[in-house]
Amino acid sequence: MLPTTITNEFIKGMPKAELHLHLEGTLEPDLKLALAKKNNIDIGQTTIAEIEKSYQFDSLPSFLAIYYPAMNVLQDEEDFYQLAMAYLEKVKEHNVRYAELFFDPQAHTSRGIPFETVINGYYRAVTESQTLGIETALIMCFLRDMSAESAAETLRQALLYKDKILGIGLDSDEQGNPPGKFKEVFKQGKEAGFHVTMHCDIDQDNSIGNIREALMDIQVERLDHGTNIVEDRELVTYVKEKGIGLTCCPVSNGFVVDDMKGKEILSLLREGVQVTVNSDDPAYFQSYISDDIVALSENYEMTPADVVLLAENSFKISWLEPEKKAGYLQEIVEYVANYQG
């Protein structure tokens, strides 16, 4: 039965989907060290403590300045496979039942790693995730601070592996890189049959303008982050009526702008917007999906019913087939009915 108060146990055991997770952001310090040693790469650190100490960021650009160089340790297909499997093994403990996983091929092809190396390593983990009781899919993101031509070339490469990629997204530094820059690439991606989403990061220059562009011009199916939408009531009504979900990440928000945006997340949730909570880059923020929900509950007034609604939304706005969504939603019903906490 639904508990009267929120507990960590209730949150962690809740069946959930993760829809905003960057595989490159799951590179934990121990794996980073192991891969650096294996591939003979000098990362300038030799201990986990030294790596953790380097995680000093207070904005999106300062985070990305640490995030991208760390990827140099990823060199061959096995490395990408290990990275994805390490994440999946971790979130099995959080009862993640389904995950749509972002990956950034340009961050690797730009340093000489073939596209096929990246996709084949990650996809091997996708095919094996069922052994952990987790269903997974891949979402390929374009780096918005690279050119539209680079994105178009990446899309051409992706079409060779279309059966391994569920959707396309847009991430990285939003400054000066609005959604419209990639309108043609996303048009081609949609015509090829990919689902589409875009990052609209919090408190950026012209955040609401970028959100409007993503929704109206690109016609995305989801917004990643996106809580600045509260600045425009018409857009809130639009996403509510269209069933367009937001994949929010409170703990990472708190690192890059010193505000979890919990007030906005919960206000939108209770208004009927299909918001979700996700971990974003858990190795860097040391917060996996249940930890993010716990942090939200500890810093804002939440109810157990809010936790259930967040979990339900995570499946509802996923790109699963309707019958699979229904099955996972039934798991939530049964979990709540049988909960003895």
Side-chain angles (χ1 to χ4, degrees), residues 128-188:
E128 292 184 20
S129 67
Q130 292 282 13
T131 64
L132 298 170
I134 306 172
E135 189 174 359
T136 55
L138 293 172
I139 299 174
M140 181 185 75
C141 290
F142 303 113
L143 300 184
R144 68 199 309 157
D145 45 3
M146 295 183 72
S147 69
E149 291 74 20
S150 175
E153 172 58 28
T154 301
L155 179 62
R156 283 192 287 272
Q157 294 180 69
L159 290 174
L160 299 174
Y161 304 91
K162 187 173 179 300
D163 60 323
K164 299 179 178 179
I165 301 170
L166 181 63
I168 55 175
L170 184 69
D171 61 16
S172 200
D173 193 352
E174 196 165 327
Q175 179 71 33
N177 299 298
K181 175 181 173 181
F182 300 92
K183 185 173 182 178
E184 182 59 29
V185 177
F186 273 82
K187 178 176 179 288
Q188 293 173 11

Side-chain angles (χ1 to χ4, degrees), residues 201-262:
D201 289 294
I202 56 172
D203 296 349
Q204 301 294 300
D205 288 344
N206 196 32
S207 279
I208 197 65
N210 288 347
I211 289 172
R212 186 178 297 107
E213 224 172 81
L215 291 171
M216 302 303 181
D217 296 346
I218 311 298
Q219 296 188 334
V220 295
E221 298 166 70
R222 289 200 304 248
L223 288 174
D224 303 312
H225 297 299
T227 47
N228 284 87
I229 198 169
V230 298
E231 297 166 17
D232 188 315
R233 293 304 310 169
E234 288 186 4
L235 291 181
V236 172
T237 300
Y238 179 82
V239 297
K240 184 177 175 181
E241 291 178 348
K242 296 289 186 180
I244 296 171
L246 276 60
T247 65
C248 305
C249 308
V251 170
S252 71
N253 289 348
F255 272 86
V256 299
V257 298
D258 197 28
D259 183 352
M260 285 189 180
K261 299 297 179 180

Side-chain angles (χ1 to χ4, degrees), residues 11-291:
I11 289 172
K12 200 165 188 179
M14 178 70 67
K16 56 185 76 72
E18 178 139 53
L19 307 177
H20 187 147
L21 183 284
H22 299 270
L23 281 170
E24 288 87 357
T26 69
L27 183 59
E28 289 284 357
D30 57 344
L31 182 58
K32 182 180 179 181
L33 286 174
L35 293 179
K37 182 177 181 181
K38 172 203 163 202
N39 294 319
N40 296 310
I41 293 172
D42 182 4
I43 59 173
Q45 298 132 357
T46 58
T47 67
I48 289 175
E50 287 177 346
I51 292 175
E52 291 175 340
K53 188 177 180 181
S54 73
Y55 293 170
Q56 302 293 324
F57 29 78
D58 56 10
S59 66
L60 181 59
S62 66
F63 165 69
L64 295 174
I66 295 167
Y67 179 68
Y68 287 121
M71 298 182 199
N72 289 331
V73 302
L74 299 165
Q75 292 290 319
D76 59 32
E77 183 179 316
E78 182 67 19
D79 298 343
F80 291 96
Y81 165 76
Q82 284 189 31
L83 177 62
M85 286 304 295
Y87 161 76
L88 292 169
E89 288 166 357
K90 181 77 173 179
V91 295
K92 178 179 173 63
E93 305 168 14
H94 296 253
N95 206 16
V96 169
R97 300 287 287 114
Y98 176 68
E100 292 174 0
L101 310 168
F102 292 140
F103 72 107
D104 292 331
Q106 290 158 289
H108 311 296
T109 56
S110 62
R111 57 188 179 87
I113 308 299
F115 188 100
E116 65 177 339
T117 297
V118 181
I119 188 66
N120 287 341
Y122 283 151
Y123 192 72
R124 183 148 61 98
V126 166
T127 61
E128 292 184 20
S129 67
Q130 292 282 13
T131 64
L132 298 170
I134 306 172
E135 189 174 359
T136 55
L138 293 172
I139 299 174
M140 181 185 75
C141 290
F142 303 113
L143 300 184
R144 68 199 309 157
D145 45 3
M146 295 183 72
S147 69
E149 291 74 20
S150 175
E153 172 58 28
T154 301
L155 179 62
R156 283 192 287 272
Q157 294 180 69
L159 290 174
L160 299 174
Y161 304 91
K162 187 173 179 300
D163 60 323
K164 299 179 178 179
I165 301 170
L166 181 63
I168 55 175
L170 184 69
D171 61 16
S172 200
D173 193 352
E174 196 165 327
Q175 179 71 33
N177 299 298
K181 175 181 173 181
F182 300 92
K183 185 173 182 178
E184 182 59 29
V185 177
F186 273 82
K187 178 176 179 288
Q188 293 173 11
K190 285 198 282 187
E191 289 172 349
F194 291 119
H195 290 283
V196 295
T197 186
M198 278 186 171
H199 276 54
C200 287
D201 289 294
I202 56 172
D203 296 349
Q204 301 294 300
D205 288 344
N206 196 32
S207 279
I208 197 65
N210 288 347
I211 289 172
R212 186 178 297 107
E213 224 172 81
L215 291 171
M216 302 303 181
D217 296 346
I218 311 298
Q219 296 188 334
V220 295
E221 298 166 70
R222 289 200 304 248
L223 288 174
D224 303 312
H225 297 299
T227 47
N228 284 87
I229 198 169
V230 298
E231 297 166 17
D232 188 315
R233 293 304 310 169
E234 288 186 4
L235 291 181
V236 172
T237 300
Y238 179 82
V239 297
K240 184 177 175 181
E241 291 178 348
K242 296 289 186 180
I244 296 171
L246 276 60
T247 65
C248 305
C249 308
V251 170
S252 71
N253 289 348
F255 272 86
V256 299
V257 298
D258 197 28
D259 183 352
M260 285 189 180
K261 299 297 179 180
K263 180 181 177 182
E264 291 84 346
I265 291 169
L266 293 172
S267 173
L268 290 165
L269 177 74
R270 291 162 184 165
E271 186 176 343
V273 177
Q274 295 183 103
V275 298
T276 64
V277 166
N278 309 266
S279 65
D280 205 356
D281 301 285
Y284 291 87
F285 305 119
Q286 285 302 294
S287 182
Y288 284 80
I289 185 167
S290 298
D291 306 318

